[in-house]
Amino acid sequence: MDAPTAAGTLIDAQPVDYLVIALYFAVVIGIGVLARRQVSDSVDFFLSGRSLPAWVTGLAFISANLGAVEIMGMSANGAEYGLPAVHYFWVGAIPAMLFLGVVMMPFYYGSKVRSVPEFMYRRFGTGAHLVNSLSFAVAQLLIAGINLYLLGTIIQALLGWDLIVALLVAAIVVLSYITLGGLSAAIYNEVLQFFVIVAALLPLTLIGLDRVGGWNGLTDKITENAGAGGSASAAEQLNSWPGNALTGFDSDLLSVIGIVFGLGFVLSFGYWTTNFVEVQRAMASDSISSARKTPIIGAFPKMFVPFITILPGMIAAVLVTEIAQTKAGETVEGGASGTVKLNDSLLYLMRDLLPNGLLGLAITGLLAAFMAGMAANISAFNAVFSYDLWQRYVVKDRDDAYYLRIGRLATVGATAAAIGTAFFASSFSNIMDYLQTLFGFFNAPLFATFILGMFWRRMTATAGWVGLVAGTLAAVSVAFLSEDSFGSLSLGVLPLSGQGASFVAAGAAFVVDVLLSIAVSLVTKPKPRAELVGLVYSETPRENLVDADEATYPWYRRTLPLAGVALVMVIILNFAF
């Protein structure tokens, strides 16, 4: 099929494909309508009344992360880098998810805070709380724009609509069910979306592998095409370690350090343990035991997501002519934005491999993924905006119904803002480069402040906000001094580019934050120990951190055994690949 023109479409969908998509949208809106009946106050709207079982919140936890980045960004990473992209899952996700469940969720859930910034308020006071709330709100609008942009490109590719029209339609659908049903609507849709996404992408992997002659055929074709246009060597693409292609470092040792410290520790722990988008799902669960198990249950499907995202990207890079040419450095007309990008890998693979009907299911899976990601960003944004910014600093002491209305209005405002940030996201060829830069700015310093404050009772309120600001500025400085993190605005002083630059920026943010926080804490006054119960590990009685009933559960329903099994499995995967 020819690349799309102004009058054409990338994907040749038939009525049966549109029927599948229409049925899915009807179900999504229906869930929003049903969930509205459960919303009687702001806790229902923002936290689902803290009433959901662990298996629901666990699947929602992972589905909320199965957005544009996970699907399109990781397939682009697979096409560009090959197997080293699995580090975003097996090093850059699972260990931090297990740490969140075992160590940190008892503090979040036990303190009954309504958001991560509210926890920061209780631990550090106004300064750190305001910095965290504002940076989180901005980050969610930017990331929602990524999901919305890619959601719009799917509609554009399917129907040939102008991008702005596609963005508006996509935004209205997400806005409708979040405004109606709040977090419950988002979570129940995320559970549905998880199964739709797997059903959509798994056939793409299986058919693609069959078409290239299995794993051996894929490795042969990657070897044959390696090095074209400056692409990575076959050895770099077919071995996850030391991952030089991903980090951009020539030194194997520096590459491993960058992945383990920059990605596996700072970026990963910063994202998974302090990002309210994810933590909000666990906070919606029905007990402290369910809250702890939420990210651990999510870890099991998470470790297999590379096989339906990264692997199809690798297949597209050898099977789809347009993607192979783009990887080799050629400029190819077409794609979802007029010029083929690696982010288009899945779209072209669907076009070439899937029959009608199955094509409709695959498109529905992509739509589900982007809607889940955007809905997660918007539902987290409206909680932080309503509770942590509006109620705390703008209009205090109003009745609950007032803040529920503010939450719904914030949902509309955030969706409108996401339309604007979607156009900014469109300027990045590899969405992961953009996203990792954002995480370096927002999540890395937050994690440093969080982890130091949770395990060191001497850390003070002044150190909390000073460390956050200084860490963020350190990451921004590295990005400006790098070759391309800010596009044409980057100065190129440091020989860092792509995702390697974001790893270094995150590492710089963490180190600067920790060192400055320690220095400031030593010359300022800490809180009395009595005020740190439930906020600092050493000051909190153990019985406050566990569910007494959990000891009576079978092993597969207990937090620590489940976490142990997940850890062993991910270690095996790291050695296998």
Side-chain angles (χ1 to χ4, degrees):
M1 176 182 291
D2 294 330
T5 63
T9 59
L10 176 63
I11 297 173
D12 185 20
Q14 297 299 314
V16 65
D17 301 311
Y18 291 115
L19 177 62
V20 172
I21 297 167
L23 288 173
Y24 172 73
F25 276 110
V27 171
V28 164
I29 301 297
I31 289 174
V33 172
L34 292 174
R36 182 182 175 87
R37 299 176 184 176
Q38 301 176 13
V39 177
S40 59
D41 59 24
S42 64
V43 174
D44 287 340
F45 187 76
F46 296 121
L47 289 174
S48 297
R50 300 186 192 270
S51 61
L52 302 177
W55 74 269
V56 170
T57 54
L59 288 179
F61 185 95
I62 202 62
S63 183
N65 188 248
L66 270 173
V69 178
E70 206 81 332
I71 305 299
M72 302 292 265
M74 284 302 172
S75 65
N77 265 350
E80 185 171 358
Y81 304 116
L83 278 179
V86 301
H87 292 314
Y88 282 104
F89 298 84
W90 301 340
V91 175
I94 305 300
M97 291 168 68
L98 301 181
F99 183 83
L100 170 64
V102 172
V103 176
M104 296 186 72
M105 274 316 304
F107 288 92
Y108 287 136
Y109 196 88
S111 63
K112 296 299 180 186
V113 294
R114 298 167 298 182
S115 68
V116 171
E118 187 175 345
F119 187 91
M120 292 288 284
Y121 178 80
R122 294 191 186 181
R123 177 64 179 89
F124 296 115
T126 301
H129 173 261
L130 184 58
V131 172
N132 180 206
S133 299
L134 289 172
S135 66
F136 177 83
V138 171
Q140 294 322 298
L141 295 180
L142 291 170
I143 298 168
I146 296 176
N147 283 295
L148 181 58
Y149 164 65
L150 290 175
L151 181 53
T153 64
I154 299 299
I155 295 176
Q156 183 187 37
L158 178 63
L159 300 176
W161 293 355
D162 185 75
L163 183 60
I164 184 61
V165 176
L167 288 176
L168 287 171
V169 171
I172 288 168
V173 173
V174 176
L175 176 64
S176 61
Y177 74 78
I178 296 296
T179 306
L180 284 169
L183 184 62
S184 291
I187 286 179
Y188 286 126
N189 267 313
E190 284 160 5
V191 173
L192 167 68
Q193 285 157 345
F194 172 79
F195 292 106
V196 171
I197 292 163
V198 173
L201 298 183
L202 185 59
L204 199 61
T205 301
L206 297 176
I207 295 171
L209 276 177
D210 178 69
R211 189 70 62 88
V212 296
W215 177 253
N216 290 335
L218 177 60
T219 58
D220 289 343
K221 287 182 170 59
I222 288 176
T223 302
E224 182 182 330
N225 296 335
S231 62
S233 68
E236 289 177 319
Q237 293 186 60
L238 295 173
N239 296 281
S240 63
W241 295 100
N244 303 74
L246 186 68
T247 62
F249 298 145
D250 294 329
S251 165
D252 291 354
L253 177 62
L254 289 178
S255 183
V256 171
I257 291 173
I259 290 169
V260 173
F261 179 70
L263 173 62
F265 180 60
V266 178
L267 279 171
S268 171
F269 277 68
Y271 176 81
W272 291 103
T273 66
T274 64
N275 186 7
F276 184 52
V277 173
E278 305 298 333
V279 173
Q280 188 182 28
R281 272 85 197 131
M283 284 181 172
S285 56
D286 57 13
S287 68
I288 196 168
S289 177
S290 294
R292 295 181 76 195
K293 290 198 292 280
T294 291
I296 296 170
I297 289 171
F300 288 94
K302 177 73 172 179
M303 67 181 73
F304 295 104
V305 170
F307 298 109
I308 58 172
T309 54
I310 293 170
L311 195 52
M314 295 170 66
I315 294 168
V318 298
L319 203 59
V320 178
T321 303
E322 293 91 338
I323 301 300
Q325 290 172 337
T326 300
K327 183 178 179 179
E330 299 178 29
T331 299
V332 183
E333 291 185 6
S337 59
T339 302
V340 177
K341 299 179 181 179
L342 295 180
N343 290 320
D344 297 318
S345 296
L346 284 185
L347 291 177
Y348 275 102
L349 200 61
M350 289 175 182
R351 179 201 70 181
D352 289 352
L353 296 186
L354 298 182
N356 292 112
L358 197 55
L359 177 62
L361 179 62
I363 296 168
T364 302
L366 287 184
L367 294 172
F370 305 155
M371 288 168 63
M374 182 181 172
N377 299 133
I378 297 296
S379 61
F381 171 87
N382 63 31
V384 168
F385 179 85
S386 303
Y387 284 148
D388 293 288
L389 292 172
W390 195 264
Q391 184 179 22
R392 179 77 61 186
Y393 300 108
V394 182
V395 179
K396 303 179 181 180
D397 303 322
R398 294 289 294 272
D399 62 353
D400 188 75
Y402 171 80
Y403 296 110
L404 179 58
R405 287 197 301 275
I406 291 296
R408 289 199 161 107
L409 289 173
T411 304
V412 177
T415 305
I419 294 173
T421 60
F423 285 100
F424 185 65
S426 69
S427 64
F428 286 79
S429 175
N430 187 327
I431 290 295
M432 279 303 296
D433 291 348
Y434 173 46
L435 200 84
Q436 293 305 318
T437 300
L438 294 180
F439 287 160
F441 295 170
F442 300 120
N443 291 95
L446 177 59
F447 173 61
T449 299
F450 223 100
I451 207 70
L452 196 61
M454 184 172 284
F455 289 99
W456 189 38
R457 64 180 176 82
R458 180 70 181 76
M459 188 173 176
T460 66
T462 304
W465 72 263
V466 169
L468 273 178
V469 172
T472 302
L473 291 176
V476 172
S477 298
V478 171
F480 267 119
L481 295 173
S482 72
E483 295 176 354
D484 60 3
S485 292
F486 275 132
S488 60
L489 297 178
S490 289
L491 302 176
V493 175
L494 298 175
L496 300 169
S497 62
Q499 290 163 46
S502 66
F503 297 167
V504 173
F510 183 85
V511 171
V512 168
D513 190 319
V514 168
L515 292 178
L516 204 56
S517 295
I518 292 173
V520 172
S521 292
L522 294 177
V523 296
T524 51
K525 186 178 178 180
K527 275 187 172 184
R529 296 179 68 166
E531 296 180 17
L532 299 177
V533 176
L535 302 173
V536 177
Y537 199 81
S538 61
E539 306 303 311
T540 305
R542 176 167 170 74
E543 56 267 25
N544 291 14
L545 303 177
V546 296
D547 187 338
D549 295 333
E550 187 169 302
T552 64
Y553 297 165
W555 72 268
Y556 55 85
R557 291 185 58 200
R558 297 202 304 270
T559 303
L560 292 180
L562 269 180
V565 172
L567 184 60
V568 169
M569 288 175 65
V570 82
I571 289 172
I572 291 171
L573 284 170
N574 267 293
F575 276 104
F577 290 90

